Amino acid sequence: MSEDNTPSGKLANDGLPPLREVIATHDLSAQKKFGQNFLFDLNLTGRIARAAAPLEDATVIEIGPGPGGLTRALLFNGAKNLTVIERDPRCQPVLEQISNHYPDALHVIDGDALDVDVTTLGPAPRKIVANLPYNVGTQLLINWLMQIDQFTSLTLMFQKEVAERVVARPKSKAYGRLSVLCQYLCDCDILFDVHRSAFTPPPKVTSAVVQLRPKEDRGTKIDLTSLAKITQAAFGQRRKMLRASLKTLNINVGELLAKAEITETSRAEELSVADFVRLTQIHDEMAAS
């Protein structure tokens, strides 16, 4: 995979200095406490930005921009209203330089993305495009899934193991709570893998870019909080049969499974997304009666 090979002292295609020069100037070594792995490859960041297109008329949100490789690609590829959330104060001067280069298009929030309601950052349509910090990526995705109708698409880079969980099918090792939540709410695809050598420092694993697009029609409408609770109980003890793992729901599990036409000796990984939807619907009906 090619890297940002713009000769030192020359400008990149977007008219800004090469990323390596920017990082050296500001002494921006990646720090583990921020979950940072910087992307230098401008071809790759451009590919991610184009995958999320069109960007011109959307509120685009990026998490953890770091030195701004993906930020620059999003702006270069048409984003007119881009908000980035960055908690590393060392990155602020770099992001300010990018903001000056793209007047009125870039807005920088100094803070932790886990504490920010991104739906307040601009009007619909909203798109999240991000190389997510490995240490909080899954939690961020689950938070956004609970508000999924507020977004047009999520184009996200994870470690490949997490990406595979998003698209996994029943009876596979990767299939779990995240698979059910994502696939009930969205059409999900792994777009492409990203080799560890594309990052500085190189992570120990391959990464992958995933795109989630909210379904216009999810069929049976259920309470997402209930679905999250049931999948947490079922997969939290995935080796146990459902008659045991679902006891934490404080409901008659035998009756619940019988009404859902699910065998008590089944395990969570054997149930389809539709099974979990039906289980959630019946659970809520029983809880309300």
Side-chain angles (χ1 to χ4, degrees), residues 10 75 185:
K10 294 186 179 180
L75 293 163
L185 294 166

Side-chain angles (χ1 to χ4, degrees), residues 219-244:
T220 304
K221 291 187 177 181
I222 55 173
D223 182 78
L224 296 184
T225 303
S226 294
L227 178 62
K229 181 174 71 172
I230 289 169
T231 51
Q232 178 68 55
F235 287 103
Q237 304 178 76
R238 63 184 297 145
R239 293 186 178 182
K240 289 190 175 183
M241 297 176 184
L242 289 172
R243 67 187 179 195

Side-chain angles (χ1 to χ4, degrees), residues 37-274:
N37 296 90
F38 295 153
L39 275 174
F40 283 133
D41 189 335
L42 295 180
N43 293 323
L44 176 59
T45 56
R47 187 179 180 189
I48 296 170
R50 290 190 296 274
L55 302 171
E56 290 82 358
D57 298 322
T59 295
V60 184
I61 301 157
E62 182 191 0
I63 310 301
L70 180 56
T71 308
R72 287 165 56 168
L74 290 167
L75 293 163
F76 185 72
N77 282 275
K80 299 289 190 292
N81 181 17
L82 171 61
T83 297
V84 300
I85 304 171
E86 178 56 68
R87 60 191 291 247
D88 183 354
R90 300 176 305 150
C91 297
Q92 297 300 324
V94 179
L95 297 172
E96 183 178 346
Q97 181 183 24
I98 299 171
S99 180
N100 292 335
H101 191 71
Y102 290 93
D104 302 321
L106 178 62
H107 317 282
V108 181
I109 293 178
D110 178 11
D112 189 332
L114 286 170
D115 299 327
V116 178
D117 180 358
V118 294
T119 66
T120 65
L121 300 182
R126 301 180 191 90
K127 297 183 176 185
I128 299 180
V129 190
N131 166 27
L132 292 175
Y134 284 172
N135 54 351
V136 294
T138 302
Q139 185 57 56
L140 285 169
L141 175 55
I142 290 175
N143 291 351
W144 298 330
L145 288 171
M146 295 300 106
Q147 303 173 292
I148 195 62
D149 291 332
Q150 298 294 319
F151 306 106
T152 300
S153 65
L154 310 177
T155 305
L156 310 171
M157 188 186 299
F158 295 102
Q159 59 200 82
K160 190 173 181 181
E161 176 188 350
V162 176
E164 289 174 339
R165 285 164 53 198
V166 169
V167 301
R169 298 304 180 194
K171 300 181 181 178
S172 67
K173 185 178 179 180
Y175 184 69
R177 181 185 187 220
L178 192 63
S179 317
V180 175
L181 293 173
C182 289
Q183 293 171 38
Y184 169 63
L185 294 166
C186 303
D187 294 315
C188 312
D189 295 290
I190 295 179
L191 300 184
F192 51 88
D193 292 347
V194 180
H195 193 269
R196 56 191 296 272
S197 63
F199 298 90
T200 298
K204 295 180 180 179
V205 295
T206 298
S207 299
V209 176
V210 180
Q211 191 164 72
L212 298 93
R213 299 170 306 282
K215 292 179 177 177
E216 291 185 10
D217 182 7
R218 297 195 284 266
T220 304
K221 291 187 177 181
I222 55 173
D223 182 78
L224 296 184
T225 303
S226 294
L227 178 62
K229 181 174 71 172
I230 289 169
T231 51
Q232 178 68 55
F235 287 103
Q237 304 178 76
R238 63 184 297 145
R239 293 186 178 182
K240 289 190 175 183
M241 297 176 184
L242 289 172
R243 67 187 179 195
S245 62
L246 296 182
K247 282 185 177 179
T248 57
L249 297 177
N250 295 319
I251 203 167
N252 187 322
V253 176
E255 182 183 354
L256 171 62
L257 292 170
K259 286 184 175 181
E261 299 180 346
I262 295 170
T263 307
E264 288 190 17
T265 54
S266 297
R267 290 176 171 81
E269 65 191 36
E270 299 174 317
L271 270 59
S272 66
V273 174

